[in-house]
Structure formats: C-alpha cells, structure tokens
Amino acid sequence: MKELKFIDLKQCILDDNGHVADEVRELARQKKFFLWNIMSSPGAGKTTFILDVIRRLKGEFRIGVIEGDIESTVDAQKMQALDVPTVQLRIGGDCHLDAAMIKKALENLPLDELNIVIIENIGNLVCPAEFDLGANLPSMLLSVPEGDDKALKYPLMFSVCKALIVTKIDCLPLFDFDMEALKINTRRLNDDLQIFPVSAKTGEGMDEFIAMLKQLIANNLQLL
Ligand SMILES: Nc1nc2c(ncn2[C@@H]2O[C@H](COP(=O)(O)OP(=O)(O)O)[C@@H](O)[C@H]2O)c(=O)[nH]1
Ligand SMILES: [Mg+2]
C-alpha cells in the first residue's frame, strides 16, 4: 500500500505566522516602539477605548494605529481625526489579522517617529487568538453586556492575553455580570492575566489602566 502523506495545513500556517511575528518583534526592538494588540468581539468597545487612550497619552507619546476591518474605514477615520498616523487594513472575508499583515501595515507607518503602535484587531473572540502578531502587549476587551462566562467559552483568547480590560462597567447595574466569577474562570486559564475594569463612557478605571500601561511601556522601551 502506498504511503499516506498528511500535511497539517493549519499548523504550517501558524508556524509561518510565528516566523513573521518574530520579524515584527525584531523590528519593534530595532525601531524602539511598543506594539499593542487589542482584541475583542465586535462592539465590545475597542474603538471607543483606543480613542480615549490616545487622548490621554498623546501629550507624552507619539502614537500610530493599525485598524483591521472586514470593510469600511469608519474606525480609521476616527483615529485620523485625532491626528495620529493610521493604516487601514481591509481584510475582505477574513476573520483575523496575521503577522504578515502587521508587517505590511508597519511599512506604511513613520516608525522612526513613533513610540507606540496600537492594533485594533478584527472583532472576533476565536481566530485572532491563534495568530501571534509579535506584540509586546497582547490584550483583550470584554464588555459587561457580553457576560461573565466568556472565558469558559473562548479559553484560548483569555489564555494568550496579558491584559483583560473589562469595559462598559457603567452598565453593571443593568446586567447580571459577576466580576468574581470572571476572575475565578480566567485565573484557571491564565494566572498572569491582569484585569482592569473600566468605562470609556464615564472614565472610571481609566487612570489605573493608563498608569499600568505607562509603566509597561517605560519598562519595555528601556529594555530595547
Ligand atoms: N455604556 C458604554 N458604552 C460604550 C463603552 N465603550 C463603548 N461603548 C459603546 O459601544 C458601542 C460599540 O463601541 P465601539 O468602540 O465601536 O466597539 P468596537 O466594535 O469593539 O470597536 C458604541 O455604541 C459605543 O458608544 C462604555 O464604556 N460604556
Ligand atoms: Mg471598532
């Protein structure tokens, strides 16, 4: 009987992605910028949160943005309105960003002038978690209306992130969202995950998050 050849294409794709992610990491090291990947489901509040972060950090850091979207430039235009260099990646049908896309986007940003590059990933709690983008800070948003059980349903996303921003906490009185249950479920998956409850609407929790972020960026830039 002839030999049966088996090629695990998914593993090949992830391996290739890992090599490009290493190139992105090296580029960030050489050019001395902090790369921050923000993931979440659609509508969790990524754009609103990023805009607030940019307003708070703009005086101190030079920020660029990579916007991943299936279609449209609505979010990119909001970033551009804050006068930050922005690259829109139109994905078409795909459901995630990969490292090659980030490499391409970075070629179109003035990296010598930037300290921070923020990536707004495609709204999806599944595929983006599988693709290492070479980011210094892989992070996710979970909004209160989505529920506290998402770590049980999308464990990989909660496992690969270093920061979990629980947003829309101004909505807590309207939902049966159990913050303690979320903490217990996430700790089982990822002991290092730092959790930050915030509201981009009222600003609650944002000072604490920004303080952590500034410290992390300073530590990272010192190491470069
Ligand atoms: N109440 C409340 N609404 C928010 C907050 N953050 C975002 N939103 C709203 O949630 C919706 C989706 O936000 P958006 O930033 O576009 O989410 P994205 O799809 O993840 O980028 C918009 O109507 C926002 O105004 C928040 O902290 N509190
Ligand atoms: Mg958005």
Side-chain angles (χ1 to χ4, degrees):
M1 209 188 283
K2 294 262 194 250
E3 185 190 355
L4 189 151
K5 298 251 182 195
F6 179 84
I7 301 172
D8 187 340
L9 286 175
K10 176 133 184 230
Q11 199 50 54
C12 295
I13 290 168
L14 292 179
D15 288 348
D16 288 348
N17 181 73
H19 296 312
V20 184
D22 288 340
E23 289 176 32
V24 170
R25 255 185 289 277
E26 179 56 21
L27 182 68
R29 202 183 61 77
Q30 278 176 12
K31 296 279 182 186
K32 298 187 189 307
F33 64 88
F34 182 87
L35 188 60
W36 179 17
N37 179 19
I38 302 181
M39 299 175 276
S40 83
S41 56
K46 295 179 295 304
T47 305
T48 312
F49 174 75
I50 293 168
L51 291 169
D52 193 20
V53 168
I54 292 174
R55 284 188 202 100
R56 287 163 184 265
L57 292 184
K58 227 177 140 214
E60 220 173 310
F61 297 94
R62 286 157 299 163
I63 305 170
V65 176
I66 299 172
E67 276 293 337
D69 274 301
I70 288 173
E71 288 293 347
S72 96
T73 55
V74 278
D75 289 353
Q77 282 168 332
K78 289 178 190 166
M79 303 296 159
Q80 208 188 12
L82 290 187
D83 207 22
V84 291
T86 305
V87 176
Q88 173 74 57
L89 291 173
R90 177 187 168 272
I91 307 296
D94 273 356
C95 54
H96 62 271
L97 297 176
D98 65 26
M101 297 175 194
I102 298 306
K103 197 175 155 194
K104 183 94 200 143
L106 291 171
E107 287 167 14
N108 289 278
L109 281 172
L111 297 180
D112 290 327
E113 297 164 21
L114 300 177
N115 319 115
I116 307 174
V117 176
I118 301 175
I119 303 165
E120 178 171 349
N121 213 312
I122 310 288
N124 181 346
L125 286 179
V126 186
C127 319
E130 293 190 288
F131 286 83
D132 178 8
L133 301 185
N136 302 96
L137 179 61
S139 66
M140 66 173 293
L141 261 66
L142 175 73
S143 64
V144 165
E146 290 171 81
D148 55 53
D149 59 356
K150 292 299 166 288
L152 300 172
K153 296 184 175 182
Y154 304 96
L156 185 63
M157 177 59 81
F158 289 78
S159 303
V160 298
C161 286
K162 292 183 185 162
L164 163 61
I165 297 126
V166 181
T167 190
K168 307 193 188 180
I169 57 167
D170 54 291
C171 299
L172 277 169
L174 303 174
F175 292 88
D176 299 324
F177 188 95
D178 185 341
M179 196 70 80
E180 280 314 304
L182 175 75
K183 285 180 184 168
I184 291 165
N185 290 331
T186 53
R187 294 257 147 74
R188 279 195 195 119
L189 294 166
N190 182 352
D191 218 14
D192 296 330
L193 186 68
Q194 286 192 65
I195 300 177
F196 299 90
V198 306
S199 166
K201 198 108 184 153
T202 66
E204 194 180 348
M206 287 301 292
D207 286 346
E208 290 83 348
F209 177 77
I210 293 289
M212 178 288 295
L213 185 64
K214 279 187 185 176
Q215 190 59 51
L216 192 61
I217 292 170
N219 292 347
N220 261 272
L221 293 180
Q222 260 169 26
L223 292 175
L224 298 176

